[in-house]
């Protein structure tokens, strides 16, 4: 995709020199360069290498811009990165927790350390001039939108989608019925979930929904704890998983395999595991006409899986079951079995019913955004209504990430999303929509005054160093502090 320069640029020609094929015109050797208000990218010459994009700076704001970003996950930090590419911009990144990185720290599974390596990029962003943290500050409780709006030119909300969607099935309130989002937060050491009781004393766990979160949860439940002990999994979760009696995790998809929400790389990763068996319950039909290459590959892989348990009885397994939904959860004081209704091709009219004993049920049917005080909210979609990141009816307020576009996509998706929102902020700064910074002064000092108990960047670095040092001595990437932070 060739990029198009849509606004007057900074004119330092860094992007022109970065281009390996001289596609950005006019270049500084051309006499037109001096008078050009805008450069353009010649689509015939451009090879779409992206070298220019990382350097392109929009017209810098004509006055100093101070921006509060609420949320220190990938969306918030990518927004900080985009803003700090401009001259004269400072950002303060707020988070309710005393540790940053959102779902990279408390969502990405501990056995996916390659994905977590994005934290190296986050450290580079933190080191940019003008970057500040105010961690451990709950916006909406200890500081309100109106106060932030008075102190900053713009406030960008990157609060994500931290709630789980509720499964409306009789018996869902029984002990032992929980959610994958809570389970994930627990094994990742989220401070809100450290004392959760996760009952792993039964043979079978049923997971409802078959997205990547469900696959993560199923994999962690069936992985050898000795392998997990080499990751940054929370100590309390490792201890519980060492005592686990779970042998089988059944992952229920309400639709057929062609609609399975887990992605091809996750399936490939699962099938590459030697320490667990992956089984498909039932036949996998031929790919539908509309299937793309990825889906055809996914269905071929599913078809290659055994349909019956084959490995040694001691082996743990994951069963992928399609066209199946829980009809009700049954139990006296605790869930004991799941009544499942299945209706796939070849099922009798009305489908079939099955009773599956299980001691733990995790609903994994997607995340949901929560309302933000003072901002409009769309309860059906769980997002803040916006136009290109600008919050509807509230000038100076912006959204980015899952609270903007819903709980979809990967970490990198937030980069494009952040660029769109930051472009809106910069356009509003240039056109005079945003108010000047008030009060003047050093932002680091002001933050210490406004939030004396907050965790700033040096303090977070001390926590980070201590966690990594603790991990090093145990042969792990880090040992997380899960409380008293
Ligand atoms: P998701 O991908 O949206 O999957 C939700 C699942 O829940 C789907 O199978 C959906 O089925 C099902 N579902 C929804 N409502 C249901 C209901 N009422 N009853 C039964 N099933 C229901 O959500 P997610 O797994 O939470 O993942 C969120 C995002 O994070 C995704 O974009 C995901 O790719 C990403 N993520 C990526 C990774 C990774 O790359 N390793 C890891 C974790 C998460 P239907 O399709 O029929 O609606």
């Amino acid at each position: 995709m060739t990029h198009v320069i849509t606004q007057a640029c900074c004119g330092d020609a860094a992007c022109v020199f970065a281009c390996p094929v001289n596609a950005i015109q006019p270049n500084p050797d051309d006499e037109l360069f001096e008078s050009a208000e805008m450069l353009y990218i010649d689509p015939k010459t451009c090879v779409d290498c992206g070298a220019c994009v990382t350097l392109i700076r929009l017209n810098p704001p004509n006055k100093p811009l101070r921006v509060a970003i609420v949320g220190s996950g990938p969306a918030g930090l990518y927004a900080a990165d985009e803003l700090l590419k401009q001259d004269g911009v400072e950002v303060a990144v707020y988070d309710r927790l005393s540790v940053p990185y959102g779902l990279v720290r408390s969502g990405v599974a501990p056995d996916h350390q390659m994905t977590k390596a994005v934290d190296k990029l986050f450290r580079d962003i933190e080191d940019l001039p003008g970057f500040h943290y105010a961690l451990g500050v709950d916006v909406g409780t200890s500081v309100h939108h109106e106060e932030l709006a008075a102190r900053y030119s713009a406030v960008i909300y990157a609060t994500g989608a931290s709630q789980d969607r509720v499964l409306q099935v009789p018996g869902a309130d029984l002990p032992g019925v929980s959610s994958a989002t809570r389970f994930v937060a627990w094994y990742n050491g989220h401070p809100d979930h450290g004392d959760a009781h996760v009952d792993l004393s039964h043979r079978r766990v049923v997971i409802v929904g078959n997205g990547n979160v469900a696959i993560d949860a199923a994999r962690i439940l069936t992985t050898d704890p000795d392998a997990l002990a080499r990751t940054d999994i929370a100590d309390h979760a490792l201890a519980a998983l060492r005592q686990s009696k779970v042998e089988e995790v059944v992952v229920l998809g309400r639709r057929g395999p062609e609609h399975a929400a887990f992605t091809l790389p996750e399936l490939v990763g699962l099938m590459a595991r030697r320490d667990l068996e992956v089984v498909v319950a039932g036949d996998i039909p031929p790919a539908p006409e509309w299937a793309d290459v990825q889906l055809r590959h996914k269905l071929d892989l599913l078809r290659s899986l055994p349909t019956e348990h084959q490995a040694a009885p001691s082996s743990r397994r994951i069963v992928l079951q399609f066209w199946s939904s829980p009809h009700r959860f049954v139990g006296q004081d605790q869930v004991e079995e799941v009544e499942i209704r299945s209706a796939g091709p070849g099922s009798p009219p009305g489908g079939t019913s099955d009773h599956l004993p299980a001691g733990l049920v995790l609903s994994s049917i997607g995340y949901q955004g929560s309302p933000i005080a003072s901002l409009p909210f769309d309860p059906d979609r769980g997002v803040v209504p916006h136009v290109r990141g600008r919050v509807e009816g509230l000038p100076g307020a912006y959204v980015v990430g899952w609270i903007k576009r819903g709980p979809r996509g990967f970490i990198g998706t937030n980069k494009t999303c952040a660029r769109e929102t930051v472009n809106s902020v910069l356009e509003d700064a240039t056109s005079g929509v945003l108010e000047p910074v008030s009060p003047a002064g050093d932002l680091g000092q002001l933050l210490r005054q406004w939030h004396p108990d907050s965790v700033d960047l040096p303090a977070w670095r001390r926590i980070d160093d201590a966690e990594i040092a603790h991990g090093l001595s145990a042969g792990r990437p880090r040992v997380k502090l899960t409380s008293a932070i």
Side-chain angles (χ1 to χ4, degrees):
M1 185 196 76
T2 304
H3 299 278
V4 177
I5 302 172
T6 58
Q7 296 178 45
C9 58
C10 62
D12 71 358
C15 58
V16 178
F17 294 119
C19 176
V21 292
N22 205 18
I24 304 177
Q25 296 293 332
N27 70 54
D29 295 333
D30 192 324
E31 60 183 28
L32 290 173
F33 182 79
E34 283 298 310
S35 56
E37 277 185 32
M38 282 183 71
L39 305 181
Y40 70 94
I41 300 173
D42 177 5
K44 289 203 199 89
T45 319
C46 175
V47 291
D48 193 25
C49 67
C52 60
V53 178
T54 53
L55 291 163
I56 285 178
R57 293 188 300 155
L58 299 176
N59 220 7
N62 47 18
K63 57 194 173 209
L65 197 64
R66 206 176 262 165
V67 181
I69 298 176
V70 183
S72 65
L77 291 180
Y78 280 130
D81 188 31
E82 291 295 323
L83 283 163
L84 294 172
K85 281 180 188 164
Q86 314 299 318
D87 293 328
V89 180
E90 290 180 295
V91 302
V93 178
Y94 286 76
D95 204 294
R96 182 173 73 81
L97 299 184
S98 306
V99 288
Y101 305 166
L103 281 182
V104 166
R105 183 178 167 103
S106 61
V108 174
D111 59 344
H112 279 178
Q113 288 297 317
M114 293 286 278
T115 310
K116 283 182 187 270
V118 71
D119 66 2
K120 291 191 183 64
L121 171 69
F122 295 164
R123 259 176 240 136
D124 291 344
I125 296 171
E126 290 167 348
D127 286 336
L128 290 171
F131 184 97
H132 301 270
Y133 267 140
L135 302 173
V137 178
D138 190 351
V139 174
T141 306
S142 48
V143 61
H144 297 280
H145 173 76
E146 292 68 22
E147 290 166 82
L148 293 183
R151 291 168 179 170
Y152 297 88
S153 305
V155 185
I156 301 180
Y157 286 90
T159 47
S162 55
Q163 303 300 310
D164 34 70
R165 292 179 57 204
V166 179
L167 189 63
Q168 310 273 10
V169 171
D173 53 352
L174 277 171
V177 181
S178 183
S179 74
T181 55
R182 261 176 271 163
F183 178 63
V184 167
W186 170 76
Y187 67 59
N188 268 322
H190 190 294
D192 288 355
H193 298 273
D195 55 0
H197 172 65
V198 179
D199 186 354
L200 303 175
S201 64
H202 304 263
R203 257 196 77 237
R204 185 182 288 114
V205 176
V206 171
I207 302 185
V208 182
N210 62 10
N212 284 338
V213 170
I215 299 298
D216 279 349
R219 206 181 55 251
I220 295 299
L221 280 163
T222 48
T223 294
D224 179 353
D226 284 341
L228 292 174
R230 296 190 288 274
T231 73
D232 63 349
I233 191 167
D235 284 346
H236 56 247
L238 183 62
L241 287 161
R242 283 197 186 284
Q243 304 300 318
S244 170
K245 300 273 185 297
V246 175
E247 292 168 9
E248 180 175 282
V249 180
V250 178
V251 179
L252 300 179
R254 62 178 168 177
R255 298 191 284 162
E258 71 277 30
H259 297 292
F262 56 76
T263 53
L264 179 61
E266 293 311 298
L267 178 62
V268 171
L270 202 59
M271 289 173 64
R273 296 286 296 269
R274 293 276 161 263
D275 55 338
L276 61 91
E277 190 186 22
V278 187
V279 176
V280 163
D283 295 332
I284 302 297
E289 263 180 30
W290 50 265
D292 61 11
V293 179
Q294 290 241 343
L295 178 56
R296 283 174 197 280
H297 193 176
K298 195 157 99 173
L299 293 171
D300 286 346
L301 286 180
L302 287 172
R303 211 169 290 115
S304 73
L305 288 170
T307 50
E308 276 180 23
H309 176 42
Q310 290 181 336
S314 58
S315 168
R316 294 191 172 118
R317 68 190 158 277
I318 294 174
V319 181
L320 302 174
Q321 184 168 337
F322 300 99
W323 296 290
S324 299
S325 293
H327 182 60
R328 64 187 177 117
F329 304 116
V330 185
Q332 285 294 325
D333 306 319
Q334 135 94 33
V335 67
E336 288 161 25
E337 63 175 38
V338 183
E339 186 181 333
I340 295 171
R341 294 274 167 93
S342 305
S347 299
T352 56
S353 189
D354 198 9
H355 292 255
L356 206 57
L360 178 65
V361 174
L362 300 175
S363 79
S364 184
I365 62 171
Y367 289 84
Q368 165 95 9
S370 310
I372 299 169
S374 308
L375 268 66
F377 190 67
D378 175 347
D380 295 332
R381 296 183 54 228
V383 297
V384 170
H386 70 95
V387 179
R388 296 180 65 77
R390 292 178 179 94
V391 174
E392 278 181 6
L394 198 59
Y398 303 82
V399 279
V400 71
W402 280 4
I403 195 63
K404 170 185 173 187
R405 55 176 215 280
R408 289 184 308 278
F410 304 92
I411 293 168
T413 318
N414 291 299
K415 184 144 181 72
T416 344
C417 179
R419 196 172 290 151
E420 180 187 68
T421 296
V422 168
N423 282 350
S424 295
V425 174
L426 296 174
E427 278 169 22
D428 291 351
T430 311
S431 66
V433 170
L434 299 182
E435 298 290 326
V437 165
S438 164
D442 177 81
L443 182 55
Q445 273 180 14
L446 287 168
L447 283 167
R448 279 190 287 281
Q449 205 178 301
W450 292 334
H451 315 292
D453 298 330
S454 68
V455 172
D456 61 6
L457 178 57
W460 154 239
R461 286 284 167 83
R462 286 195 291 278
I463 296 173
D464 195 30
D465 290 347
E467 288 189 340
I468 293 171
H470 195 171
L472 207 62
S473 58
R476 305 173 62 181
R478 72 173 62 231
V479 173
K480 282 182 187 165
L481 296 173
T482 56
S483 58
I485 47 172

